[in-house]
């Protein structure tokens, strides 16, 4: 299993950014992918998740209405579209594979992680 995040960048508050998580080594139809973030000095927290089995999604309250998680048709890449970015969105963003298949924001439901991509939102 391999997950590689990309798309992190420096952006001004109010701007948009799209992250990608390229997955390989597993069948997404039987799994889920979650997006997490870790800000400096803080614990890693769930941001969004998508189920490969039924396409259901889940979002943290802090990003609802601003972030959207989706996949490409081949289900090899999971995207996190981030709009109306705020300085508090600054963090390293990780994607992870959940073998259980349900959309989740609980780290315990995920067994494989990418290396992370840095998102910095300036005020």
């Amino acid at each position: 299993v391999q997950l590689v995040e990309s798309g992190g960048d420096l952006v001004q508050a109010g701007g948009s950014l799209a992250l990608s998580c390229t997955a390989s080594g597993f069948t997404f139809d039987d799994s889920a992918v979650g997006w997490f973030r870790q800000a400096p000095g803080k614990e890693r927290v769930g941001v969004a998740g998508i189920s490969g089995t039924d396409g259901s999604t889940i979002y943290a309250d802090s990003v609802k209405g601003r972030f959207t998680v989706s996949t490409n048709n081949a289900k090899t890449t999971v995207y996190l579209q981030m709009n109306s970015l705020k300085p508090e969105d600054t963090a390293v963003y990780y994607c992870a594979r959940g073998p259980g298949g349900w959309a989740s924001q609980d780290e315990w439901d995920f067994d494989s992680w990418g290396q992370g991509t840095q998102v910095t939102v300036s005020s």
Side-chain angles (χ1 to χ4, degrees):
V1 174
Q2 186 175 20
L3 303 110
V4 179
E5 304 94 338
S6 61
D9 206 345
L10 170 64
V11 62
Q12 288 189 335
S16 298
L17 206 57
L19 304 183
S20 298
C21 173
T22 302
S24 61
F26 66 97
T27 302
F28 183 61
D29 285 343
D30 300 327
S31 303
V33 170
W35 282 98
F36 296 77
R37 68 186 182 188
Q38 187 168 22
K42 296 187 177 181
E43 293 185 351
R44 187 162 57 188
V45 296
V47 175
I50 185 167
S51 167
T53 59
D54 62 7
S56 60
T57 58
I58 188 170
Y59 296 94
D61 288 342
S62 59
V63 306
K64 280 181 182 176
R66 300 189 298 123
F67 290 12
T68 303
V69 60
S70 63
T71 69
N72 62 346
N73 289 335
K75 293 186 176 181
T76 56
T77 303
V78 177
Y79 305 100
L80 184 67
Q81 177 66 44
M82 306 185 294
N83 299 327
S84 302
L85 283 162
K86 305 174 182 180
E88 51 263 42
D89 294 319
T90 295
V92 176
Y93 284 72
Y94 301 88
C95 64
R97 191 277 298 259
W102 54 86
S104 171
Q105 296 176 80
D106 188 338
E107 286 197 25
W108 293 106
D109 290 329
F110 296 86
D111 64 354
S112 299
W113 296 79
Q115 82 290 346
T117 186
Q118 176 69 49
V119 172
T120 304
V121 184
S122 63
S123 57

